[in-house]
Amino acid sequence: MKKTTLTLSALTLAIQAVSVSALEALDDESMANVSGQSGVTIELDPGQLDIGEISYSQDGVAANMRDININSGIGSASVTTIDIDSDGTLNLFNQLGAREFTVGGVGMTGTTGITNDFFSLRGATQAYSDGGTTGDLTDDTGVFRLNMGDDGNGNLAFDGSQVGLFFDGLHFGDDGMEWIIDDLAMSAIINYGRLIVNDGNVEFDFGTFDNRGLRLTYEAAAIGLSNDPNIAVGDYGDPNSAGYLLGDTFGSLSVDLEAYGTFTIEGGGADIGEGITFIPALTLINDDDDRPAFKYTDDGYVILARNFRGDFSTESGLTLDFEEDDANNPYLALRYEDLTFSFSLDDLILGDENGAALGSFRGQVLFQDGLVDGIERKNYLHLFPGGDIASADGSTQQGIRAQVGWNIVSAAPEAQDGETFTTPGSFAGKTAAESNTYFAMNDDGNWVYFNGFNGWGEGEVTLDLTSGPDMASLPSDYYANPYNSATGQFDANVGYDRENKVGTYDGLRIDFKDLRGEYSFSGVTVGTSEEEAMDSPYMGGTELLLAMEVFPSYSFTLNGNLTIAPGGQINSDGVGGTQGLTLNGDLRITDGDAAITVDEFGRGVWLTGVTYDLHMRGASIDVTEDGLTFNKGLTWSTIQVGQYNSATGEIEGGIIFGSREDGDNLGAFTLERLEDGTTISVASGGAGQVCIGGSLNAGGTDCAGAGRFEDRGEQGLTIKVKAKFAEAPTDVNDPNYYRYLGKGNRFSWTQTNGTTLTLDNFSTQDGPQGGNDYGLNIDLKLDVARTAVRASFIDEDGDGNTDNDFDGDGRPDLIDTNGQYIQESEIPERGPLGFAVFGRVHFKQLNIDGLKIAATPDSTPQTLISQIVVQNADIQANLTATPIR
Amino acid sequence: MTFNKLVLSISTLMVASSAMAEMKAIDDFDLSEISGKGGVYLSGEFAINKDGGPLWDDPNEVSGFTPGSRPIFDGAGNIVGSEECENGICGLRLAIKLNENSEGWYVLDDVSGGMSFEGLTLQTETLTTATNYDVWVDGGFEEKAVDDEVLKIGLPGTITFNDFKFKFAVANNGEFGVPLQDGTAFRQTEIFGVQLDGDITVGGNLLLFPVD
């Protein structure tokens, strides 16, 4: 077979036809179809179409699709009607026939010929269907419609154009494994579109808020994985039935959005030479109450968002270049000096589709290249084809390797004249709302902003589809713990996925290689509107993120892997479930500095010199009636904060009080954990009626003492942590013997003088009968609400009584945010906005095998307390926190 | 050698129960400290087992006893009887065994009740002058002035205790009601009980700072 290669640069496509069936003359019947009076109709049934390669190149580096095969033998011909309206508009209407297709590889080729693939493709599409509705284009599939005419202003108009496809199956392959989307419907409709050719660029105008140019829909019945590269494309059965060929899946997903704004394309990338610059100024929106913008379904429960709006904007644009690294490996480089993404959504529902909404959310991310301490912080994504892990026999290496860098910014907090508090800052010429990265939540009309986020990082992330060991005969090191309690050291040669061994799991493996990053929040601000929240003082509250294991401020280096497989671990019964995400992984954070609590100036309580070693087996993310639930499965971890150096007798790193750089050192600690079945769930629901300043009676009817009821409303956020600390059994026949072996729960604290306190082997238990189902529970209900703040005690006449007690209750009177006196009845309108936390810790039994003390970590410990048992605990804290000036 | 310790400095701490005689009011200097700037104002309630706890108050969890009672087990782990909790509420139980060879446990039992307050303030700031404190240096104490980051806790004035109670006891097992492995019946002797109700007044600031 003769193989020719056509390679044209930049804007020229190179198509090499290896074998195309011969063209044939149209017969009389077909001719009759073509001869139509008001246009031309063409039927095309090419049979088997093979294309050797399609490539697009910039500066000698090419992106290519190779070994393309399209088979129309399974379906009907494509019917194309071409017509020209009386106003000169070209109407091209293509009703596609059903097709099967394969692409051997989608990858890149460098100047020296190095070629790697991102992935391969297989798929099957259905023939044209109008969805049973002739007037409604949104459900049309198997269609390509191009309406192109003059808009009367010298621009091209594309109004009424559309693309719609229905894939019976779409397979992305990686070294013999496939990521499969079942019954995927995709549609893009241009209601209003203009192509405007400017001096130096081409601009697509997709209208305005009142004239939205684009409608985009995406719907996938199921998303799964397969180890069988030969599985037939198309019909896999019913995703909700037992015989489904893809087995467990991630669940189903649908997206339905409109878009408007402009999208500009310029020639030339970030560097000298060829490239493309994209400048989006687009808004994605769905404000139709009847159509969710996003809907993810997992075993019948949903994550659903209505009334979504997202805005993208950039001044510098996004540049796309094809480049090579020093070893001539080709890659695709996406760069952006600045990019702003802001979003808002009402009615986020987690759990039951008809359940209560979580409230409204809003957020903004400001990417901006920067220079800090002489080090450039850039925003980029370099995509290398090939991934990290080759096929089992080493013959192919597909996958994605990404070098990524990001810099997310916020303006520095601004101090107010004569005051010690700060408010969110602003960049020159911009408002505070435009100058901060934040995440905000509305609760019964009040906003809470996790505000002033700054974060940057860079490193390498690879994506591969991998397969794991046979669960019936697991490798002996599958549950190995690299941390040795006796020596206090990590062993690099122990573990399933470690320095000199790659242990893989079934699923999409995300590998992190020296991913360095840091982030911080300035604090929390509250208000009834964005303006008020951006003008309010920074206060604490980011510490609440610790309940979800998110530090208010953190710098780290991340290595290790996380593998995501289809199928959850829990459903409404708390067990099983065929949909959701299963997680396995081995992660190691080193060189960590984390804040437990920190103010906007970086002063607080810091954990420095942190090593966090974490292993998960059978963890999952599921949506249940309890909301979004992270199930940690079997998780063992070691957090080492600072270390005692036996040679010098000094602590390196440790717990720092004050500034991270020069605060006081409180010593080092190590926390080892062994958890089996710990869950963290996030759901909607506020605290409702809350008794403040008094004590609620058992029936909840009376707020005794000097207290009063305040209504926190029904909206709000509920976080539930159910920690199950396990104890390693000594009986080798115990089913958990090997799963728990060499692990445990233990806390040790080494002071700066070497004195070491150890809390050994703590575990939860369901009481004397045994079992470990109830766990240690932390329930948090978070609300933002107006509350009462009393004025300071003033006693100018020295009689011992407060002088500002005008209502005669013996206490200073209530004040509003500006210090004006208010009545108790005015709290709902004028009371300062506060952050209300209802926290509850409850467990049935907690066992601790002793508290020991040693002169140094290396010396023999003495027992202070031999055993501790805590039973029947239900500790509640019901607090409102209000910023004060 | 430097001895590491946490120093609690109470710049002004006034404690008066409602039944006690009025105490002198805090002076203007300390009052200006209480007003607090750029911090957090906390109101609320802390409560322990106010409505009972999860182990002995859920009739579905352990059969054979009613809410508000604690099961007693025989040597075979069977429930043989129950002990009523006070007012039907079972408090938290904390049992500690000091010595491995000891047979006895110190027990803080039936801890329950709450304390509520309004206006506790939390602020961190750098104090250039404050109360001197002693620090252990080379075998002796030295006096040093504070010039450091402190956590300042503005005390709320009135703290109300609501039916706060606990018992101090000794027992032969940490787990309530469970006989020892050799079959010896569970035994617990209550030494004394404490119940706290009503208001105490605590004013001024509490300063919390680490020292080397």
Side-chain angles (χ1 to χ4, degrees):
Chain A
M1 186 174 64
K2 185 185 166 197
K3 180 163 181 164
T4 50
T5 304
L6 290 172
T7 306
L8 301 174
S9 72
L11 297 172
T12 313
L13 285 181
I15 300 179
Q16 183 210 352
V18 175
S19 108
V20 178
S21 47
L23 290 174
E24 291 174 11
L26 287 172
D27 60 21
D28 288 350
E29 195 178 347
S30 301
M31 286 292 285
N33 284 334
V34 178
S35 69
Q37 300 234 329
S38 60
V40 181
T41 300
I42 300 171
E43 279 194 23
L44 187 65
D45 193 354
Q48 191 88 353
L49 178 67
D50 290 308
I51 301 172
E53 186 174 283
I54 298 177
S55 73
Y56 164 69
S57 70
Q58 289 180 5
D59 299 322
V61 180
N64 38 45
M65 290 170 75
R66 60 175 174 76
D67 299 336
I68 302 163
N69 171 273
I70 299 172
N71 177 14
S72 69
I74 62 156
S76 51
S78 288
V79 180
T80 307
T81 308
I82 303 172
D83 195 7
I84 297 176
D85 286 349
S86 56
D87 64 357
T89 300
L90 170 72
N91 294 323
L92 187 151
F93 178 38
N94 187 355
Q95 295 167 283
L96 301 170
R99 299 288 181 267
E100 280 184 349
F101 63 91
T102 57
V103 179
V106 177
M108 296 186 77
T109 304
T111 53
T112 59
I114 295 176
T115 298
N116 275 316
D117 287 342
F118 290 111
F119 51 82
S120 60
L121 264 179
R122 295 197 295 151
T125 61
Q126 283 192 1
Y128 169 73
S129 161
D130 67 1
T133 54
T134 49
D136 179 7
L137 299 186
T138 58
D139 54 3
D140 292 5
T141 52
V143 62
F144 175 71
R145 192 193 300 264
L146 178 67
N147 296 346
M148 190 162 65
D150 188 348
D151 74 340
N153 297 313
N155 304 315
L156 280 179
F158 291 94
D159 302 3
S161 298
Q162 72 172 129
V163 179
L165 287 171
F166 188 95
F167 295 90
D168 285 324
L170 183 60
H171 298 213
F172 293 89
D174 175 0
D175 300 326
M177 289 195 66
E178 290 189 311
W179 174 283
I180 298 172
I181 308 175
D182 183 10
D183 287 350
L184 168 66
M186 294 166 73
S187 164
I189 298 169
I190 301 176
N191 297 313
Y192 174 90
R194 297 287 179 272
L195 177 67
I196 304 165
V197 180
N198 298 315
D199 184 17
N201 66 43
V202 177
E203 179 185 331
F204 292 93
D205 178 1
F206 292 115
T208 60
F209 177 82
D210 295 319
N211 178 28
R212 298 172 192 174
L214 281 174
R215 170 84 185 271
L216 308 164
T217 57
Y218 172 102
E219 193 168 346
I223 301 165
L225 287 177
S226 171
N227 282 325
D228 177 7
N230 299 314
I231 186 172
V233 176
D235 188 13
Y236 320 100
D238 176 2
N240 295 310
S241 73
Y244 189 54
L245 289 180
L246 302 184
D248 291 350
T249 69
F250 290 112
S252 65
L253 177 69
S254 69
V255 180
D256 185 345
L257 294 167
E258 292 171 310
Y260 64 87
T262 62
F263 190 82
T264 306
I265 300 176
E266 290 179 359
D271 298 322
I272 296 169
E274 294 168 331
I276 304 176
T277 299
F278 302 99
I279 308 175
L282 282 175
T283 297
L284 297 171
I285 190 166
N286 177 340
D287 51 5
D288 187 334
D289 285 338
D290 298 328
R291 296 187 283 120
F294 302 98
K295 183 177 169 185
Y296 166 73
T297 309
D298 166 7
D299 287 322
Y301 292 96
V302 300
I303 300 175
L304 184 153
R306 286 198 187 89
N307 283 317
F308 172 85
R309 181 192 162 116
D311 293 277
F312 292 90
S313 63
T314 166
E315 288 173 16
S316 63
L318 288 86
T319 59
L320 184 70
D321 291 277
F322 292 176
E323 298 174 358
E324 289 181 315
D325 65 9
D326 295 340
N328 293 111
N329 291 304
Y331 63 92
L332 187 156
L334 184 72
R335 299 186 176 89
Y336 42 102
E337 277 176 37
D338 75 290
L339 176 70
T340 299
F341 171 65
S342 59
F343 76 92
S344 65
L345 69 89
D346 297 336
D347 297 349
L348 180 68
I349 292 171
L350 300 178
D352 189 341
E353 185 164 355
N354 300 312
L358 207 59
S360 304
F361 293 87
R362 179 185 283 183
Q364 175 168 277
V365 185
L366 306 176
F367 292 95
Q368 179 80 55
D369 284 1
L371 185 72
V372 175
D373 300 331
I375 298 168
E376 284 189 324
R377 296 178 170 184
K378 295 209 163 220
N379 292 291
Y380 63 90
L381 180 64
H382 296 171
L383 293 173
F384 291 76
D388 188 44
I389 294 176
S391 59
D393 60 5
S395 60
T396 62
Q397 178 153 349
Q398 295 178 319
I400 300 170
R401 183 161 64 91
Q403 286 174 352
V404 58
W406 66 93
N407 190 35
I408 298 170
V409 298
S410 289
E414 282 172 10
Q416 302 298 305
D417 287 343
E419 304 281 7
T420 54
F421 63 83
T422 60
T423 57
S426 48
F427 293 124
K430 290 189 171 173
T431 65
E434 292 165 343
S435 308
N436 282 281
T437 294
Y438 60 81
F439 178 75
M441 179 184 153
N442 189 291
D443 172 10
D444 290 307
N446 301 309
W447 285 98
V448 54
Y449 276 64
F450 289 88
N451 216 336
F453 180 92
N454 281 280
W456 77 278
E458 62 180 2
E460 189 171 294
V461 179
T462 59
L463 300 176
D464 285 282
L465 294 178
T466 56
S467 57
D470 180 2
M471 293 307 285
S473 55
L474 288 170
S476 59
D477 55 10
Y478 192 75
Y479 294 116
N481 185 8
Y483 183 73
N484 185 330
S485 288
T487 62
Q489 302 295 326
F490 293 96
D491 187 338
N493 288 315
V494 174
Y496 180 59
D497 190 68
R498 56 188 195 230
E499 277 186 10
N500 53 6
K501 180 199 171 188
V502 178
T504 55
Y505 310 90
D506 284 333
L508 174 69
R509 178 184 168 103
I510 308 168
D511 235 308
F512 305 98
K513 290 202 175 123
D514 291 330
L515 187 74
R516 290 190 310 137
E518 68 177 56
Y519 69 81
S520 63
F521 286 95
S522 289
V524 167
T525 60
V526 292
T528 52
S529 64
E530 178 161 286
E531 293 71 32
E532 195 179 327
M534 281 296 170
D535 199 29
S536 98
Y538 273 123
M539 58 186 280
T542 51
E543 294 80 5
L544 292 164
L545 297 171
L546 288 170
M548 293 186 281
E549 308 210 350
V550 175
F551 292 107
S553 179
Y554 203 2
S555 67
F556 55 86
T557 300
L558 175 63
N559 277 284
N561 81 85
L562 185 67
T563 305
I564 304 170
Q569 297 292 317
I570 52 175
N571 63 9
S572 55
D573 304 326
V575 289
T578 59
Q579 296 176 348
L581 276 67
T582 290
L583 306 172
N584 286 289
D586 304 271
L587 296 165
R588 173 86 58 94
I589 285 169
T590 50
D591 304 319
D593 285 345
I596 295 293
T597 173
V598 66
D599 68 9
E600 61 269 41
F601 307 113
R603 303 184 78 84
V605 178
W606 287 91
L607 308 179
T608 64
V610 176
T611 301
Y612 187 3
D613 181 72
L614 173 73
H615 305 269
M616 288 189 290
R617 300 289 182 269
S620 73
I621 295 176
D622 282 281
V623 189
T624 68
E625 73 265 46
D626 291 333
L628 184 66
T629 303
F630 173 44
N631 160 38
K632 290 172 84 171
L634 176 67
T635 292
W636 65 98
S637 65
T638 303
I639 300 177
Q640 205 171 43
V641 178
Q643 267 198 327
Y644 178 78
N645 186 328
S646 303
T648 62
E650 297 283 328
I651 297 277
E652 291 155 2
I655 313 162
I656 306 293
F657 190 91
S659 161
R660 180 170 56 163
E661 285 74 31
D662 57 6
D664 296 302
N665 198 328
L666 298 183
F669 79 80
T670 303
L671 173 65
E672 291 169 64
R673 284 183 291 178
L674 170 62
E675 295 166 85
D676 196 358
T678 288
T679 57
I680 301 171
S681 62
V682 179
S684 60
Q689 290 279 351
V690 173
C691 170
I692 296 297
S695 179
L696 194 67
N697 70 354
T701 53
D702 186 37
C703 186
R708 67 182 177 283
F709 279 111
E710 283 182 8
D711 189 2
R712 295 272 173 260
E714 296 311 313
Q715 288 190 336
L717 197 62
T718 300
I719 299 170
K720 279 177 189 271
V721 180
K722 188 185 184 84
K724 295 181 191 173
F725 296 109
E727 184 174 7
T730 50
D731 179 3
V732 72
N733 296 315
D734 191 298
N736 287 321
Y737 181 80
Y738 289 104
R739 298 176 78 225
Y740 295 174
L741 186 66
K743 316 171 191 88
N745 293 289
R746 151 202 271 252
F747 174 81
S748 73
W749 173 37
T750 303
Q751 298 183 343
T752 46
N753 60 359
T755 309
T756 301
L757 279 171
T758 305
L759 208 55
D760 213 5
N761 201 10
F762 55 90
S763 61
T764 48
Q765 187 183 327
D766 288 350
Q769 289 79 20
N772 193 4
D773 191 45
Y774 194 85
L776 185 144
N777 296 266
I778 302 168
D779 303 345
L780 286 176
K781 284 180 189 291
L782 310 180
D783 285 282
V784 187
R786 292 197 181 276
T787 185
V789 169
R790 291 190 183 278
S792 302
F793 188 95
I794 298 173
D795 180 23
E796 287 180 350
D797 55 14
D799 66 353
N801 296 318
T802 180
D803 293 343
N804 48 1
D805 172 24
F806 305 111
D807 60 9
D809 66 353
R811 298 179 294 174
D813 282 358
L814 302 172
I815 51 171
D816 68 7
T817 313
N818 301 315
Q820 303 292 314
Y821 290 105
I822 59 171
Q823 303 288 322
E824 193 174 312
S825 60
E826 292 178 285
I827 291 172
E829 287 80 40
R830 294 180 61 192
L833 271 175
F835 206 38
V837 184
F838 178 70
R840 188 173 161 220
V841 176
H842 52 111
F843 55 88
K844 288 186 171 177
Q845 185 163 327
L846 183 70
N847 303 315
I848 303 168
D849 284 357
L851 178 66
K852 298 187 176 76
I853 190 165
T856 70
D858 308 323
S859 55
T860 308
Q862 305 290 315
T863 300
L864 274 184
I865 297 174
S866 164
Q867 255 182 302
I868 302 171
V869 176
V870 188
Q871 291 178 301
N872 196 41
D874 183 356
I875 301 163
Q876 299 179 18
N878 193 354
L879 296 174
T880 61
T882 317
I884 47 175
R885 304 182 179 193
Chain B
M1 190 182 75
T2 304
F3 189 67
N4 191 47
K5 61 178 179 176
L6 262 179
V7 175
L8 267 178
S9 164
I10 304 173
S11 63
T12 311
L13 178 59
M14 186 176 79
V15 180
S17 76
S18 55
M20 289 172 70
E22 287 295 316
M23 294 183 81
K24 185 181 174 298
I26 38 189
D27 62 25
D28 287 350
F29 172 78
D30 294 316
L31 275 171
S32 64
E33 293 289 303
I34 300 176
S35 67
K37 291 185 174 189
V40 176
Y41 180 100
L42 291 171
S43 294
E45 182 195 10
F46 281 102
I48 297 173
N49 289 36
K50 201 166 57 172
D51 309 322
L55 181 55
W56 294 308
D57 261 17
D58 185 346
N60 299 317
E61 293 298 328
V62 181
S63 59
F65 75 103
T66 53
S69 69
R70 300 195 280 196
I72 309 254
F73 300 89
D74 67 10
N78 302 311
I79 295 165
V80 292
S82 66
E83 181 190 88
E84 293 300 314
C85 298
E86 221 161 293
N87 306 326
I89 293 174
C90 288
L92 178 150
R93 175 187 167 88
L94 169 69
I96 289 173
K97 184 170 157 182
L98 291 183
N99 187 330
E100 207 169 335
N101 302 319
S102 156
E103 291 176 352
W105 292 69
Y106 296 96
V107 179
L108 215 52
D109 205 352
D110 214 6
V111 184
S112 68
M115 51 172 274
S116 55
F117 57 88
E118 186 167 11
L120 184 98
T121 59
L122 285 180
Q123 290 157 294
T124 46
E125 62 181 60
T126 303
L127 283 193
T128 48
T129 57
T131 317
N132 287 347
Y133 64 89
D134 296 325
V135 63
W136 185 262
V137 178
D138 296 333
F141 283 105
E142 276 182 13
E143 200 172 66
K144 284 176 73 175
V146 180
D147 181 4
D148 210 343
E149 189 95 11
V150 299
L151 174 67
K152 188 166 75 176
I153 303 171
L155 298 168
T158 303
I159 295 178
T160 307
F161 281 89
N162 312 289
D163 202 18
F164 188 86
K165 62 184 188 325
F166 64 88
K167 288 178 206 158
F168 178 70
V170 289
N172 66 349
N173 198 349
E175 295 177 301
F176 183 86
V178 179
L180 303 183
Q181 280 185 342
D182 64 5
T184 310
F186 173 77
R187 269 199 295 275
Q188 177 162 315
T189 308
E190 282 158 13
I191 312 292
F192 64 83
V194 170
Q195 184 157 3
L196 212 54
D197 246 323
D199 298 345
I200 63 166
T201 303
V202 284
N205 291 321
L206 205 63
L207 302 180
L208 187 65
F209 50 94
V211 293
D212 289 324

